[in-house]
Short mmCIF file of all heavy atoms in Angstrom, two decimals:
data_model
loop_
_atom_site.label_atom_id
_atom_site.label_comp_id
_atom_site.label_asym_id
_atom_site.label_seq_id
_atom_site.Cartn_x
_atom_site.Cartn_y
_atom_site.Cartn_z
N VAL D 39 -6.30 5.67 7.43
CA VAL D 39 -6.29 6.00 8.86
C VAL D 39 -7.24 7.15 9.15
O VAL D 39 -8.04 7.11 10.09
CB VAL D 39 -4.85 6.34 9.33
CG1 VAL D 39 -4.87 6.89 10.76
CG2 VAL D 39 -3.95 5.11 9.26
N HIS D 40 -7.19 8.19 8.30
CA HIS D 40 -8.06 9.35 8.51
C HIS D 40 -9.53 8.99 8.31
O HIS D 40 -10.40 9.49 9.04
CB HIS D 40 -7.66 10.47 7.56
CG HIS D 40 -6.34 11.09 7.90
ND1 HIS D 40 -5.79 12.13 7.19
CD2 HIS D 40 -5.44 10.80 8.88
CE1 HIS D 40 -4.62 12.46 7.71
NE2 HIS D 40 -4.39 11.67 8.73
N LEU D 41 -9.83 8.14 7.33
CA LEU D 41 -11.22 7.75 7.07
C LEU D 41 -11.81 6.95 8.23
O LEU D 41 -13.03 6.88 8.38
CB LEU D 41 -11.30 6.92 5.79
CG LEU D 41 -11.13 7.69 4.47
CD1 LEU D 41 -11.05 6.72 3.30
CD2 LEU D 41 -12.27 8.68 4.25
N THR D 42 -10.94 6.33 9.04
CA THR D 42 -11.40 5.55 10.20
C THR D 42 -11.16 6.32 11.50
O THR D 42 -10.97 5.73 12.56
CB THR D 42 -10.70 4.18 10.23
OG1 THR D 42 -9.29 4.36 10.05
CG2 THR D 42 -11.22 3.27 9.14
N ASP D 43 -11.12 7.66 11.38
CA ASP D 43 -11.06 8.57 12.53
C ASP D 43 -9.74 8.54 13.28
O ASP D 43 -9.67 8.90 14.45
CB ASP D 43 -12.21 8.30 13.52
CG ASP D 43 -13.57 8.60 12.90
OD1 ASP D 43 -13.65 9.53 12.08
OD2 ASP D 43 -14.54 7.89 13.21
N GLY D 44 -8.67 8.12 12.61
CA GLY D 44 -7.35 8.18 13.21
C GLY D 44 -6.56 9.35 12.64
O GLY D 44 -7.08 10.16 11.86
N HIS D 45 -5.31 9.46 13.05
CA HIS D 45 -4.45 10.53 12.54
C HIS D 45 -3.02 10.05 12.50
O HIS D 45 -2.52 9.44 13.44
CB HIS D 45 -4.54 11.77 13.43
CG HIS D 45 -3.60 12.86 13.02
ND1 HIS D 45 -3.71 13.51 11.80
CD2 HIS D 45 -2.51 13.39 13.64
CE1 HIS D 45 -2.74 14.40 11.69
NE2 HIS D 45 -2.00 14.35 12.79
N VAL D 46 -2.36 10.30 11.36
CA VAL D 46 -0.95 9.99 11.23
C VAL D 46 -0.34 10.97 10.24
O VAL D 46 -0.99 11.41 9.30
CB VAL D 46 -0.74 8.52 10.77
CG1 VAL D 46 -1.27 8.30 9.36
CG2 VAL D 46 0.72 8.11 10.88
N ASP D 47 0.90 11.33 10.48
CA ASP D 47 1.58 12.37 9.72
C ASP D 47 2.71 11.79 8.89
O ASP D 47 3.29 10.75 9.24
CB ASP D 47 2.13 13.42 10.70
CG ASP D 47 2.72 14.63 9.99
OD1 ASP D 47 1.97 15.57 9.71
OD2 ASP D 47 3.93 14.59 9.72
N LYS D 48 3.04 12.47 7.78
CA LYS D 48 4.11 12.01 6.89
C LYS D 48 5.44 11.84 7.62
O LYS D 48 6.26 11.01 7.26
CB LYS D 48 4.28 13.02 5.74
CG LYS D 48 5.38 12.70 4.73
CD LYS D 48 4.99 11.56 3.83
CE LYS D 48 6.09 11.24 2.81
NZ LYS D 48 6.04 12.07 1.63
N ARG D 49 5.66 12.61 8.71
CA ARG D 49 6.91 12.48 9.45
C ARG D 49 7.08 11.10 10.04
O ARG D 49 8.20 10.59 10.17
CB ARG D 49 6.98 13.56 10.54
CG ARG D 49 7.28 14.96 10.01
CD ARG D 49 7.05 16.03 11.05
NE ARG D 49 5.63 16.30 11.23
CZ ARG D 49 5.16 17.30 11.96
NH1 ARG D 49 6.00 18.11 12.59
NH2 ARG D 49 3.86 17.51 12.07
N VAL D 50 5.96 10.46 10.40
CA VAL D 50 6.02 9.09 10.91
C VAL D 50 6.53 8.15 9.83
O VAL D 50 7.34 7.24 10.07
CB VAL D 50 4.62 8.65 11.40
CG1 VAL D 50 4.62 7.17 11.76
CG2 VAL D 50 4.21 9.49 12.60
N HIS D 51 6.03 8.36 8.61
CA HIS D 51 6.45 7.55 7.46
C HIS D 51 7.97 7.61 7.29
O HIS D 51 8.64 6.58 7.12
CB HIS D 51 5.74 8.08 6.22
CG HIS D 51 6.25 7.54 4.92
ND1 HIS D 51 7.05 8.26 4.08
CD2 HIS D 51 6.05 6.35 4.32
CE1 HIS D 51 7.32 7.54 3.01
NE2 HIS D 51 6.72 6.39 3.13
#
Side-chain angles (χ1 to χ4, degrees):
V39 171
H40 290 181
L41 287 172
T42 48
D43 295 327
H45 175 64
V46 66
D47 186 88
K48 179 74 180 276
R49 285 168 283 188
V50 172
H51 169 256

